[in-house]
Amino acid sequence: MINEFRRARRRKVSDTVLVTDGMTDSVVGRIGNLSETGMLMIASAPLAEDALYQFRFHLHDSRGRESAFEVGAHLLWIDRASAPGQAWTGFRFIAIPPDQAEQLRHWIDAPGGQFE
């Protein structure tokens, strides 16, 4: 059995949350899970490993209110998915405004979330 330790708790994203590249304004994938420090994204566009990106996405809270997020992210790894044109990607957040970090923390800790 493998025991894995992560510093930040992750929450699965049950809805489809699209991620937009802030530089090209095009959708590059969808979020699989989020933590305060990064995300797993299923990429549908080609991305460069070890590159920096500016992403935008929206999350809904338990009351259905939408919050917008804009984050700077570093692509740490890519693993090609079995579906053509898709890849699993791991990002570390390198820049997120403090108010958005607080909102993200509340979203992750909200009741009803599925944690990994």
Side-chain angles (χ1 to χ4, degrees), residues 84-95:
Q86 291 188 340
W88 296 96
T89 57
F91 288 91
R92 176 178 58 93
F93 295 148
I94 56 173

Side-chain angles (χ1 to χ4, degrees), residues 19-83:
V19 178
T20 302
D21 184 318
M23 304 306 275
T24 64
D25 209 31
S26 61
V27 172
V28 293
R30 62 183 173 85
I31 297 175
N33 67 46
L34 277 170
S35 75
E36 291 179 47
T37 58
M39 69 178 171
L40 171 77
M41 183 175 77
I42 299 95
S44 55
L47 299 173
E49 195 165 357
D50 199 31
L52 301 178
Y53 291 92
Q54 189 71 28
F55 291 134
R56 291 190 309 264
F57 58 88
H58 296 83
L59 297 175
H60 291 91
D61 66 15
S62 60
R63 296 182 182 167
R65 294 177 297 198
E66 184 176 88
S67 296
F69 294 85
E70 187 157 338
V71 300
H74 176 212
L75 179 54
L76 300 174
W77 56 267
I78 298 173
D79 187 14
R80 300 292 167 216
S82 57

